């Protein structure tokens, strides 16, 4: 599935405020101010990052005048979240010259949106990344100990957003990840593991070309080390895990888009700070099922409202296990699906 139409983006286009599309957020009001004149000279740029209310926006991407512009958000956008990966409509001084400030007046519709619900540790729903089509989950074979449930939560967030998940296992010099990896047998998950302490950087890079890949992982797993290997000029701060607390130093605090370049082409690495919690209250089970088309077909024979969990009565999937009609692979996939379905409260 390739739905990142970067190359199709016109650089200049008419701007119509009615096209600002926001995620349903009951608390945020849509702008009710009278319509302003269309910004006919708006340019489209990629939001690379945000720092204290100032957005870095890449304009004329891959063109002769590629430049990074600093922009503020227009007042009419109110509280519409603008995040890394958004395609923003920018007006004003878009020269990118020192000291200039442009203005973001709208956003293009997003092809995907990675977000997390409010949960015990954070009362606000947060939008993390827009328009990513892949998620690389980075996990360490040891130090910190890998936790399948945490990886499951990332997988659910990715599948819910229609984002293809990938898994990278670091620190295999410290432990063999084979047993941990059996948790993911049922899912068609591309897995990269380091060998003798070296990550297969070129192999991972090959998967990044032509995509926007958001990197997620618990702090201390070696994500910054991997990002720096892929994008040397990124110079993401790496930290040493504190041997007493097992906690990593606070390394990077904001989400940024970095360009991966290789002879074969380029792609985008979106590095996120270690996400501690991942509220999944918004997740729709149907989106998780979409990654299991074979099982979804069988589940068409389930009773209405079937949870498809191991204790579900008359569940066609459980019946297929019981009567032996589900293959071994199918059973492994059902195990992983059932685990993912119990990951969130929905
Ligand atoms: P981040 O918090 O996920 O960005 O992790 P860092 O990249 O800062 O790495 C945390 C620590 O793990 C640093 O001390 C790294 O040098 C170390 N580290 C990274 N990759 C590996 C690896 O493959 N093997 C071992 N033994 N240590 C690693
Ligand atoms: Zn069922």
């Amino acid at each position: 599935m390739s739905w990142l139409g970067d190359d199709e983006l016109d650089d200049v286009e008419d701007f119509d405020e009615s096209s600002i599309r926001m995620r349903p957020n009951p608390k945020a009001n849509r702008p009710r101010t009278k319509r302003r004149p269309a910004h006919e000279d708006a340019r489209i740029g990629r939001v690379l990052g945000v720092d204290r209310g100032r957005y870095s926006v890449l304009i004329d991407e891959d063109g002769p005048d590629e430049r990074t512009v600093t922009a503020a958000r227009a007042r009419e956008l109110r509280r519409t979240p603008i995040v890394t990966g958004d395609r923003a409509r920018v007006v004003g001084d878009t020269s990118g010259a020192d000291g200039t400030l442009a203005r973001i007046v709208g956003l293009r519709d997003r092809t995907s949106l990675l977000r997390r619900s409010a949960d015990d540790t954070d009362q606000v729903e947060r939008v993390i990344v827009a328009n990513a089509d892949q998620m690389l989950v980075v996990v360490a074979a040891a130090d910190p100990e890998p936790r399948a449930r945490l990886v499951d939560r990332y997988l659910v967030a990715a599948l819910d957003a229609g984002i293809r998940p990938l898994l990278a296992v670091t620190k295999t010099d410290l432990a063999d990840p084979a047993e941990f990896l059996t948790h993911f047998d049922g899912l068609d998950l591309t897995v990269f593991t380091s060998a003798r302490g070296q990550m297969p950087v070129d192999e991972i890079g090959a998967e990044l070309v032509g995509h926007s890949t958001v990197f997620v992982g618990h702090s201390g797993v070696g994500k910054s080390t991997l990002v720096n290997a892929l994008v040397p000029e990124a110079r993401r701060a790496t930290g040493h895990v504190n041997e007493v607390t097992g906690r990593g130093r606070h390394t990077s605090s904001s989400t940024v888009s970095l360009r991966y370049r290789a002879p074969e082409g380029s792609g985008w690495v979106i590095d996120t700070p270690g996400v501690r919690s991942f509220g999944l209250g918004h997740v729709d089970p149907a989106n998780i099922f979409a990654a299991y088309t074979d099982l979804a077909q069988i589940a068409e024979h389930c009773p209405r409202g079937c949870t498809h969990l191991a204790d579900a009565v008359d569940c066609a999937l459980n019946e297929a296990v019981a009567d032996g009609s589900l293959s071994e692979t199918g059973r492994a996939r059902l195990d992983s699906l059932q685990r993912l379905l119990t990951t969130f409260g929905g």
Side-chain angles (χ1 to χ4, degrees):
M1 226 181 330
S2 173
W3 30 337
L4 263 198
D6 294 15
D7 301 332
E8 296 147 35
L9 291 186
D10 331 324
D11 199 34
V12 179
E13 65 164 43
D14 291 348
F15 172 68
D16 171 0
E17 261 149 36
S18 64
S19 69
I20 299 173
R21 182 166 297 174
M22 292 188 289
R23 276 274 157 171
N25 175 354
K27 289 196 209 99
N29 294 319
R30 279 182 170 271
R32 294 217 181 86
T33 48
K34 64 178 169 28
R35 289 174 64 93
R36 287 158 198 250
H39 296 284
E40 279 169 19
D41 59 344
R43 303 183 73 85
I44 295 287
R46 175 191 295 269
V47 176
L48 301 176
V50 56
D51 184 24
R52 282 160 290 176
R54 294 286 186 259
Y55 300 86
S56 306
V57 186
L58 186 69
I59 295 201
D60 197 30
E61 186 171 333
D62 293 326
D65 298 320
E66 181 179 289
R67 60 201 182 276
T68 304
V69 165
T70 303
R73 57 159 62 240
R75 284 187 55 200
E76 64 253 40
L77 283 175
R78 299 275 181 99
R79 286 188 285 166
T80 306
I82 303 176
V83 294
T84 306
D86 262 323
R87 303 301 192 281
R89 296 181 165 89
V90 185
V91 299
D93 188 338
T94 57
S95 67
D98 272 359
T100 58
L101 187 64
R103 200 154 47 91
I104 297 177
V105 293
L107 298 181
R108 276 219 155 172
D109 287 355
R110 293 156 171 161
T111 56
S112 76
L113 191 57
L114 182 65
R115 60 198 167 121
R116 57 195 176 96
S117 305
D119 66 7
D120 304 343
T121 58
D122 189 346
Q123 301 309 306
V124 188
E125 174 173 303
R126 300 210 183 262
V127 177
I128 303 169
V129 176
N131 301 318
D133 63 343
Q134 299 190 132
M135 176 193 284
L136 182 74
V137 180
V138 185
V139 66
D143 187 30
E145 216 52 46
R147 290 192 293 140
R149 296 302 281 178
L150 184 68
V151 174
D152 284 347
R153 297 181 72 81
Y154 289 130
L155 297 178
V156 164
L159 296 177
D160 183 57
I163 294 173
R164 175 194 181 210
L166 308 160
L167 184 65
V169 188
T170 62
K171 307 198 190 184
T172 54
D173 49 316
L174 304 180
D176 182 352
E179 197 194 321
F180 168 73
L181 288 173
T182 59
H183 288 291
F184 310 103
D185 278 352
L187 196 64
D188 296 322
L189 190 61
T190 302
V191 180
F192 304 99
T193 52
S194 61
R196 294 181 301 280
Q198 294 293 308
M199 286 306 281
V201 172
D202 293 342
E203 269 174 60
I204 295 174
E207 291 290 332
L208 303 180
V209 172
H211 296 281
S212 278
T213 308
V214 52
F215 283 41
V216 297
H218 198 273
S219 136
V221 296
K223 178 164 62 66
S224 305
T225 304
L226 177 59
V227 168
N228 287 337
L230 289 160
V231 189
E233 67 273 23
R235 293 195 201 90
R236 299 296 272 175
T238 57
H240 294 273
V241 174
N242 183 309
E243 271 151 34
V244 179
T245 64
R247 257 194 248 130
R249 194 148 41 89
H250 196 56
T251 47
S252 37
S253 61
S254 73
T255 302
V256 292
S257 294
L258 305 162
R259 187 131 47 177
Y260 169 78
R261 288 187 194 280
E264 307 79 54
S266 67
W268 287 93
V269 168
I270 299 146
D271 192 16
T272 60
V275 183
R276 226 172 260 144
S277 65
F278 220 95
L280 295 171
H282 59 277
V283 169
D284 180 350
N287 294 338
I288 309 306
F289 246 113
Y292 294 85
T293 42
D294 49 339
L295 299 181
Q297 256 170 20
I298 301 173
E300 279 170 17
H301 304 288
C302 286
R304 268 182 77 94
C306 183
T307 61
H308 316 300
L309 300 181
D311 61 357
V313 180
D314 294 336
C315 174
L317 292 164
N318 291 331
E319 281 175 0
V321 175
D323 69 19
S325 62
L326 196 63
S327 67
E328 199 176 317
T329 320
R331 285 203 302 277
R333 285 170 61 70
L334 180 58
D335 281 347
S336 85
L337 172 66
Q338 288 179 332
R339 239 163 27 107
L340 294 191
L341 290 175
T342 54
T343 297
F344 53 98

